[in-house]
């Protein structure tokens, strides 16, 4: 998700680029493995402002049954990028003290991956589920109870009856 923005950085404030992306992402740090959508980059007085509407596919493991599944997210990126180096002079530039945006490296490459990663992580649930009613794995036999119902708990006595049973079955003395 790298874009060389050297040319855009040389253009006047307000210059724009609109383009669409569709890529497979193989970065292991990335939760997303596919991203597609529309991107707009605008030259600002400090750097480049990026707006993007992306459809991203994310591979996850279900927190209950551990199955791999993929989820599709709609992400909106809205980030300003500050160039670390002046594209004309090659001199180092220093961002404002309160800068909270991202950076364009000395190679003038703007990388959308980090913004995508942050946005995806902010959107994803902490305990992902493959489906809302996933019943998960049996903690006794390890069976995936979405696929097979094991008998581990079927023979259990309902705890509400356990006290009653204690009354019926008197200890042998
Ligand atoms: Zn599951
Ligand atoms: Zn079981």
């Amino acid at each position: 998700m790298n874009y060389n923005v050297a040319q855009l950085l040389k253009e006047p404030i307000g210059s724009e680029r609109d383009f669409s992306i569709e890529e497979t992402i193989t970065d292991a740090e990335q939760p997303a493995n596919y991203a597609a959508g529309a991107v707009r980059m605008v030259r600002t007085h400090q750097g480049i402002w990026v707006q993007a509407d992306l459809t991203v596919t994310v591979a996850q493991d279900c927190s209950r049954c551990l199955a791999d599944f993929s989820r599709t997210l709609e992400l909106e990126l809205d980030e300003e990028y500050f160039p670390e180096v002046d594209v004309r002079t090659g001199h180092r530039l220093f961002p404002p003290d309160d800068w909270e945006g991202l950076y364009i490296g000395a190679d003038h490459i703007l990388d959308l991956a980090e913004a995508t990663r942050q946005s995806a992580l902010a959107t994803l649930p902490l305990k992902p589920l493959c489906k809302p009613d996933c019943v998960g794995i049996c903690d006794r036999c390890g069976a995936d109870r979405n696929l097979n119902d094991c008998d581990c708990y079927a023979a259990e006595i309902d705890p509400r009856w356990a006290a009653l049973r204690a009354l019926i079955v008197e200890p042998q003395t």
Side-chain angles (χ1 to χ4, degrees):
M1 304 182 89
N2 291 332
Y3 300 91
N4 189 319
V5 292
Q7 186 55 41
L8 184 55
L9 285 169
K10 288 176 190 164
E11 292 176 18
I13 292 169
S15 302
E16 301 179 353
R17 293 285 188 284
D18 281 300
F19 55 97
S20 58
I21 63 169
E22 181 172 358
E23 12 189 319
T24 302
I25 303 163
T26 51
D27 178 352
E29 296 282 292
Q30 263 295 338
N33 51 33
Y34 171 80
V39 180
R40 164 168 287 194
M41 295 185 179
V42 181
R43 177 69 164 114
T44 62
H45 74 285
Q46 299 188 118
I48 289 177
W49 179 40
V50 175
Q51 277 180 299
D53 287 311
L54 300 179
T55 300
V56 166
T57 310
V58 175
Q60 291 201 286
D61 294 331
C62 176
S63 62
R64 286 191 192 148
C65 73
L66 311 179
D68 296 335
F69 66 102
S70 77
R71 174 190 294 269
T72 301
L73 303 176
E74 303 295 329
L75 301 181
E76 278 182 32
L77 307 187
D78 188 354
E79 292 280 351
E80 194 169 5
Y81 286 72
F82 185 88
E84 290 178 330
V85 167
D86 185 307
V87 68
R88 293 179 188 282
T89 64
H91 293 158
R92 180 110 169 78
L93 295 174
F94 294 93
D97 288 344
D98 58 350
W99 184 257
E100 291 181 346
L102 294 161
Y103 294 90
I104 300 163
D107 50 5
H108 315 303
I109 298 292
L110 186 154
D111 184 4
L112 284 181
E114 177 58 18
T116 304
R117 191 181 76 85
Q118 288 179 7
S119 178
L121 289 178
T123 309
L124 289 171
L126 289 176
K127 293 197 169 185
L129 294 177
C130 62
K131 54 187 179 184
D133 58 348
C134 173
V135 291
I137 283 179
C138 173
D139 57 11
R140 295 200 172 172
C141 72
D144 181 345
R145 294 190 296 132
N146 295 305
L147 303 176
N148 315 297
D149 226 348
C150 63
D151 292 328
C152 295
Y153 287 90
E156 288 271 292
I157 291 172
D158 186 316
R160 286 168 296 177
W161 297 108
L164 197 60
R165 194 173 78 139
L167 295 176
I168 297 165
V169 185
E170 294 286 44
Q172 308 282 315
T173 46

